[in-house]
Amino acid sequence: MRIVAGSAKGRALAGPKATSKHIRPTADRVRETIFNVLGQWLEGQKVLDLYAGTGALGLESVSRGATRAVLVDSDREALSLCRTNTETLDFGARVDILAQPVERALEVLGRRGDRFELIFADPPYAARVVETVLEGIARNKVLAPGGMVVVEHDKREAAPESHEGFERVDQRRFGDTLVSLFRIP
């Protein structure tokens, strides 16, 4: 795994152990397509990476100009990878890591008044939580006006056309993976 573009383009990211059952990193080509759809550069944006795993989506965002990324995960190996990759890229001043379940992190961020222009969610496929994630984002008001939510999920989990005020504006398939993009109109 590597950073695809931006200030850290080509830099390697540490990945999970081969025996890891909890971390499924977003493939470089999927990440590249996501950012092509979103627009290559994220100058000045704040990004939230839920179920961060290796932190690749949030760190790619920082490489592409995001001013801040918050990486959220509760898995011990994932948190270690997020810290290692953040330090390796020297992004520590622009990245916060929250070691909490996603539901709790959304509550904390909402209470603090944090708002993000871009939110990634890449939950474990077996969790089947696309709608739950959208509900948590809406309930805690962490999406900035005009912001986008990108959810990576299993092709067998249908993402709704609309939910909790969100409208699906795009969807791409990569083998067994679907990437669904949502906005609040």
Side-chain angles (χ1 to χ4, degrees):
M1 291 187 333
R2 298 191 173 283
I3 295 292
V4 177
S7 64
K9 180 180 179 175
R11 303 271 307 272
L13 295 172
K17 298 173 187 163
T19 58
S20 178
K21 296 177 182 168
H22 304 289
I23 303 172
R24 176 195 30 78
T26 301
D28 291 354
R29 74 177 178 87
V30 174
R31 213 168 350 109
E32 185 172 20
T33 301
I34 290 170
F35 283 96
N36 286 340
V37 170
L38 294 172
Q40 287 289 332
W41 306 107
L42 305 173
E43 295 301 324
Q45 293 190 12
K46 291 192 295 185
V47 176
L48 178 59
D49 187 353
L50 303 172
Y51 307 96
T54 63
L57 290 165
L59 297 171
E60 181 78 36
S61 299
V62 172
S63 180
R64 292 171 183 252
T67 56
R68 178 175 175 232
V70 176
L71 312 179
V72 176
D73 212 303
S74 58
D75 179 81
R76 183 173 293 158
E77 182 184 5
L79 292 165
S80 176
L81 288 167
C82 286
R83 286 185 200 99
T84 297
N85 288 329
T86 298
E87 291 168 11
T88 298
L89 298 174
D90 198 27
F91 285 168
R94 294 165 53 197
V95 174
D96 293 318
I97 299 170
L98 294 182
Q100 299 176 342
V102 165
E103 302 79 24
R104 177 183 287 272
L106 288 171
E107 291 170 6
V108 168
L109 294 166
R111 277 196 308 269
R112 290 192 326 206
D114 283 337
R115 302 293 175 265
F116 301 89
E117 287 81 16
L118 180 58
I119 300 176
F120 293 106
D122 186 6
Y125 285 0
R128 304 227 182 249
V129 294
V130 172
E131 292 183 16
T132 304
V133 167
L134 294 174
E135 290 166 6
I137 291 167
R139 182 177 52 256
N140 293 290
K141 298 178 174 75
V142 294
L143 185 66
M148 177 83 68
V149 178
V150 179
V151 184
E152 189 175 331
H153 56 99
D154 187 284
K155 70 177 182 183
R156 293 174 295 261
E157 180 181 8
E161 292 283 333
S162 62
H163 188 74
E164 292 292 321
F166 288 97
E167 194 173 290
R168 192 175 74 210
V169 295
D170 199 346
Q171 188 172 67
R172 307 287 170 113
R173 183 172 172 184
F174 306 89
D176 289 341
T177 298
L178 280 177
V179 176
S180 299
L181 290 82
F182 297 90
R183 278 190 192 278
I184 296 177

